[in-house]
Amino acid sequence: MTVFAALGDSTTAGYGDRVKGAWRGWAPIFAAALGVKLHNLATSGARAADLERDQLPKALSVAPDLAAVLIGTNDTLRDPFDSSRFAGHLERTVAALRGAGAEVLTIRLPDPGRMFGLPGSLARPLARRMAEINEAADLVAARYDTVHFDAAGDSDSYDRRMWSVDRLHPSERGHRFLACSYFDLLDRRGVLERLGLVGPSSGRPSPEPSSPPPALGAQALWMATAGSAWVIRRSTDLLPGLLRLAWAEWRHGSPDLDILDLDLGSPVRPDEVPGKVA
C-alpha cells in the first residue's frame, strides 16, 4: 500500500475541521480519497526547525512514497524570525524525503495579515516575512522538483468560506480545497498513475463540506471559550512580536521587497541529512 507521511503545523494536524470531537483536516481527506496509508506527524505550533528535528526522522522511518511538507505560518508570526534558517530547515527536510524516494508536496502560503484583516502597520511586515518564506519555498521546490501548490496566488485561498472563525486555520471547505488542489497537481504531473493511485479504489476528494458551517452563535461561543484561551496562550509570544513589528514599521518605514536574495548554496547531499542512512 502507498504510504503518505504528512509533516507540518496545525493546518496539517487538521485544526479548523472538527469531526466527532476531533480534528480531521486535509491530509486524512486526501488519504481517504486516494486509499493510501496516512502517517500524520504534524503538530500544532510547529516551525521548520521542529519538522527537521522531530517529524522528519519519524517520516523517514515509515519509508513514505508520498510526503507533505507544509510549514511557515508559525515561522512568520513568531520571533525570532530568520528566513535563512527557515530555508535551511526546509531544504534539509525536503532533500531527505526526496533522497528516500518520496514525492514531496510543498506550498506557497497565503498572507496571514490579509486573512486577519490587520491594520497596515502590522500587515505590511507580516507580508514581507511571508514573501521571504515563500521565496525560500519556491527555491527548494525548484531544486528538488516538488509538487508545489501556490496557495498565495490562488484567489480561492482568500475566500472567507475557506477559513474557520479564527481566520488562521482552514475551515472544512478550506481543508478540502487543499486536498483537491494537491490531487489535481499530482494528477497533471502523472504522479498518481506512477504510484498506482488511479482506479476504482481512488478518486478526487469532494470539494464540498460534509457538514454545514457552524452557526454564528456556535462561532461566538467558540471564540468566547476555546478561542479566547488560544489567544491568551499565543499572546505571550505572538502579540509582543506583532507589536515590535508595528513599532519598527512606524519608526523606520518599509524596507524594499526587491532586496530579497536567498541563496540556498549547493544541494544537500544524502550523507548531510540527519537520520538518512546512506
Side-chain angles (χ1 to χ4, degrees), residues 83-102:
S83 58
S84 295
R85 288 187 180 180
F86 171 87
H89 293 305
L90 180 65
E91 181 178 20
R92 288 187 293 272
T93 299
V94 170
L97 292 166
R98 291 294 279 153

Side-chain angles (χ1 to χ4, degrees), residues 7-9 11-12 26 51 68-72 105-107 178 182:
L7 292 72
D9 54 24
T11 292
T12 300
W26 78 270
L51 258 68
V69 181
L70 276 63
I71 199 69
L105 314 179
T106 52
I107 195 167
L178 269 176
Y182 279 119

Side-chain angles (χ1 to χ4, degrees), residues 26-150:
W26 78 270
I29 292 170
F30 178 80
L34 288 177
V36 300
K37 182 176 178 58
L38 171 65
H39 295 271
N40 196 339
L41 308 171
T43 56
S44 176
R47 302 170 75 174
D50 302 312
L51 258 68
E52 183 184 2
R53 183 187 63 246
D54 302 327
Q55 299 180 27
L56 175 60
K58 296 176 184 177
L60 293 174
S61 72
V62 302
D65 305 287
L66 189 65
V69 181
L70 276 63
I71 199 69
T73 298
N74 291 307
D75 294 88
T76 305
L77 292 174
R78 300 172 69 181
D79 284 330
F81 174 75
D82 188 326
S83 58
S84 295
R85 288 187 180 180
F86 171 87
H89 293 305
L90 180 65
E91 181 178 20
R92 288 187 293 272
T93 299
V94 170
L97 292 166
R98 291 294 279 153
E103 294 285 348
V104 178
L105 314 179
T106 52
I107 195 167
R108 299 187 80 249
L109 290 164
D111 176 14
R114 182 172 170 184
M115 288 313 308
F116 291 153
L118 294 175
S121 57
L122 291 176
R124 285 189 295 270
L126 278 179
R128 288 194 292 273
R129 285 186 173 191
M130 187 56 79
E132 294 186 49
I133 291 292
N134 283 336
E135 183 178 13
D138 290 343
L139 291 170
V140 169
R143 172 168 286 178
Y144 296 96
D145 191 28
T146 69
V147 180
H148 198 44
F149 175 43
D150 183 10

Side-chain angles (χ1 to χ4, degrees), residues 30-36 183 192-193 195-205:
F30 178 80
L34 288 177
V36 300
F183 178 94
L192 296 179
E193 184 175 4
L195 293 177
L197 298 176
V198 177
S201 62
S202 63
R204 189 176 191 267

Side-chain angles (χ1 to χ4, degrees), residues 186-212:
L186 288 165
D187 191 32
R188 285 199 293 269
R189 287 173 59 124
V191 175
L192 296 179
E193 184 175 4
R194 190 159 63 249
L195 293 177
L197 298 176
V198 177
S201 62
S202 63
R204 189 176 191 267
S206 172
E208 293 300 319
S210 58
S211 303

